Amino acid sequence: MININRIEENNYLLIAVEGDADASSAINLDKAIRDAFDEHHQNILIDCTNLNYISSAGLGVFMSYIEEISTNSVNFILFGLSEKVLKVFSILGLDQLLTIKENKEEAQKALNGI
């Protein structure tokens, strides 16, 4: 089960992900990200602080946006990944293709070019 909350803050959209991103819930994660792109948000922060687990389906959601992030010059930053979730991103090399920061403060700094 996954719970996704969208919060517009200052100059970015925050998508907070809670629970497990697996085959049954990845569609919800995809919809939240797709909506952000369709609404033309240029600054998107993904709060993974409460993301407990991510399956290949969940990873596939993030992978499917890599080209679109680059093509549209979207600032797309994930933060708060647990050690085990970050390890999965690292094994697949997604940490080299997506911007991942330790916490919200670091993500905001990266967004603001500090």
Side-chain angles (χ1 to χ4, degrees):
M1 172 134 171
I2 196 166
N3 186 30
I4 298 172
N5 292 307
R6 293 170 34 111
I7 305 161
E8 292 198 39
E9 295 188 6
N10 300 326
N11 62 337
Y12 60 85
L13 174 67
L14 177 72
I15 299 175
V17 183
E18 299 177 27
D20 300 338
D22 55 23
S24 64
S25 63
I27 192 167
N28 298 323
L29 176 60
D30 185 55
K31 181 176 178 354
I33 296 172
R34 171 54 39 217
D35 288 349
F37 276 90
D38 289 349
E39 293 163 5
H40 306 290
H41 287 279
Q42 286 301 117
N43 301 314
I44 303 169
L45 300 186
I46 308 291
D47 182 355
C48 299
T49 305
N50 295 308
L51 176 63
N52 302 322
Y53 169 81
I54 190 161
S55 72
S56 57
L59 291 163
V61 170
F62 289 113
M63 290 169 51
S64 70
Y65 287 97
I66 291 171
E67 185 175 337
E68 193 167 356
I69 290 165
S70 177
T71 302
N72 295 318
S73 300
V74 172
N75 295 309
F76 189 89
I77 304 170
L78 290 85
F79 70 90
L81 281 74
S82 69
E83 191 175 319
K84 71 179 183 180
V85 171
L86 181 58
K87 187 173 184 175
V88 174
F89 274 78
S90 298
I91 289 169
L92 296 175
L94 291 177
D95 60 332
Q96 303 300 310
L97 300 172
L98 295 167
T99 302
I100 300 174
K101 297 297 179 185
E102 189 173 330
N103 54 47
K104 185 176 181 180
E105 182 179 280
E106 293 298 316
Q108 289 171 322
K109 285 180 183 176
L111 190 63
N112 296 319
I114 299 172

